[in-house]
Amino acid sequence: MEASTPGRARRDRRRARAAGSPLSRAAVVLLLSAFLVPASPSAGYFIRLPRGFRLTQDLPKIVGSSYYPVKVYVLLHQKSPHVLCVTQRLRNSELIDPSFEWHGPKGKIISGNTTTQVTSTGSLVFQNFEEGMTGVYTCFLEYKPTVEEGAKNLQLKYVIYAYREPHFYYQFTARYHAAPCNSIYNISFEKKLLQILSKLVLDLSCEVSLLKSECHHVKMQKAGLQNELFFTFSVSSLDTEKVPKPCIDHSCEPSRRLLKAKNLIERFFNQQVDVLGRRAEPLPEIYYIEGTLQMVWINRCFPGYGINALKHPKCPECCVLGHYK
């Protein structure tokens, strides 16, 4: 006999709600059901090229100053902008018989160098900027303003810095009611939790890393001791160049992908609370403790690099190479 129309309609609505959820509850149910064990009775001048920049267009050009050294910031392992051996005024002027000579931290720069080049018009260009190239560069320009006038000399200084993008990520902490601290169930639960979290953010080219997992005995107010797991894990973005299908869309920026990953993880923990609230059976031995999820935004530089908005006001969020611990 066919099911009645009202009964079938109710089942269809339940299926539609389950299928339409942006984050399947199956992950939460799987996490909880895997551990339904009986509870224990005791229980300057700035040119910054973005990470995704592709050298298919004319590079920016930087001019010098007669009054102060010009600061230039070049992303590590990338091609630099053209550093010109002229001021803004001279760039728009006619120069007769100009000659250019560049000196860097290691002495005079030869035009035929494969990594550091001086063009025929006197521009300094780095093909693959390395840490050791950071330093003071001086250009010596000799020219005539007109054919009748004598030669003039100009010396321009640049301070060229290597910089890297900051390594930023989210750090989460969460607490779970646990089995006895020496129980193998806690270890199995930890592995299962990391697998589910990693799968949640995989499509966003993000990864989850366990930073710390500890089991402690906690004395509750007006109650006895209970076992709790303290999880600390991070969520960071993978370099788009390392993923199988590199993404060049604006939404693929690390900060945007990380924000989406953060929202998915927060929703996952909230759904654990919802699933437990609807259970008619006793609570499992291992379950998320509502309200314990904490999150902080970490913004760090690699060793030897640092952020200093006072020293580098034109590049306040750059991790600039320097004497940083």
Side-chain angles (χ1 to χ4, degrees):
M1 178 182 296
E2 285 190 2
S4 64
T5 301
R8 186 167 53 197
R10 284 194 297 271
R11 286 196 298 274
D12 291 342
R13 285 196 297 269
R14 285 197 295 268
R15 292 192 190 102
R17 284 197 299 267
S21 174
L23 175 63
S24 173
R25 299 181 186 274
V28 178
V29 174
L30 174 63
L31 180 65
L32 294 173
S33 62
F35 298 93
L36 292 180
V37 296
S40 168
S42 62
Y45 192 109
F46 171 55
I47 292 291
R48 180 178 178 181
L49 302 181
R51 181 184 293 273
F53 185 82
R54 293 293 178 266
L55 302 174
T56 57
Q57 53 186 326
D58 292 336
L59 285 167
K61 295 177 172 60
I62 299 175
V63 297
S65 171
S66 304
Y67 306 103
Y68 54 83
V70 172
K71 293 182 178 181
V72 183
Y73 301 88
V74 183
L75 185 62
L76 192 66
H77 304 311
Q78 297 295 318
K79 188 174 182 178
S80 75
H82 285 236
V83 184
L84 307 186
C85 190
V86 289
T87 61
Q88 185 62 47
R89 181 182 65 83
L90 290 178
R91 186 184 182 188
N92 299 322
S93 303
E94 187 176 68
L95 306 180
I96 306 298
D97 296 329
S99 65
F100 313 92
E101 185 175 303
W102 281 92
H103 289 254
K106 298 180 181 179
K108 184 177 179 180
I109 298 174
I110 308 300
S111 299
N113 195 317
T114 57
T115 58
T116 308
Q117 299 177 347
V118 178
T119 68
S120 59
T121 56
S123 297
L124 179 66
V125 183
F126 299 93
Q127 296 300 325
N128 182 18
F129 200 78
E130 302 287 347
E131 292 182 350
M133 297 176 178
T134 294
V136 177
Y137 289 78
T138 305
C139 177
F140 299 92
L141 168 64
E142 182 177 306
Y143 68 98
K144 293 181 180 179
T146 64
V147 175
E148 292 79 14
E149 293 184 65
K152 291 190 175 184
N153 296 282
L154 181 65
Q155 178 178 318
L156 301 174
K157 286 187 178 292
Y158 297 85
V159 184
I160 304 181
Y161 296 93
Y163 82 92
R164 302 179 71 164
E165 297 285 0
H167 176 58
F168 43 84
Y169 58 92
Y170 286 106
Q171 180 173 300
F172 290 87
T173 57
R175 293 163 62 175
Y176 278 79
H177 186 281
C181 285
N182 58 353
S183 172
I184 192 173
Y185 288 112
N186 293 335
I187 299 175
S188 300
F189 177 81
E190 173 190 306
K191 293 179 180 179
K192 179 64 67 175
L193 176 63
L194 288 176
Q195 288 174 1
I196 292 175
L197 292 174
S198 298
K199 189 175 181 179
L200 281 178
V201 302
L202 182 62
D203 290 341
L204 294 171
S205 297
C206 292
E207 63 179 351
V208 175
S209 302
L210 180 64
L211 302 179
K212 185 169 59 174
S213 176
E214 297 177 341
C215 183
H216 294 280
H217 304 294
V218 179
K219 172 65 172 68
M220 306 303 294
Q221 290 183 350
K222 299 180 181 180
L225 291 173
Q226 74 175 27
N227 305 307
E228 289 189 11
L229 287 173
F230 290 72
F231 285 109
T232 303
F233 61 93
S234 65
V235 181
S236 57
S237 64
L238 296 170
D239 290 336
T240 54
E241 295 84 357
K242 296 181 180 179
V243 298
K245 297 180 180 179
C247 181
I248 58 175
D249 189 76
H250 184 61
S251 63
C252 297
E253 293 179 359
S255 59
R256 290 176 177 268
R257 290 187 283 116
L258 272 176
L259 180 60
K260 292 179 180 179
K262 177 187 79 76
N263 293 336
L264 284 176
I265 289 176
E266 290 178 334
R267 192 183 309 167
F268 168 73
F269 280 91
N270 289 333
Q271 286 186 350
Q272 292 183 67
V273 176
D274 294 340
V275 170
L276 288 173
R278 291 195 301 270
R279 283 177 56 87
E281 301 85 0
L283 291 175
E285 186 168 33
I286 303 177
Y287 60 87
Y288 169 63
I289 301 175
E290 183 178 0
T292 61
L293 183 68
Q294 303 290 329
M295 183 274 298
V296 292
W297 171 256
I298 306 294
N299 190 347
R300 289 180 177 172
C301 295
F302 290 88
Y305 292 77
I307 296 176
N308 189 329
L310 294 178
K311 185 176 180 180
H312 305 290
K314 298 296 184 180
C315 196
E317 297 180 0
C318 297
C319 288
V320 181
L321 180 65
H323 300 290
Y324 296 97
K325 295 182 180 179

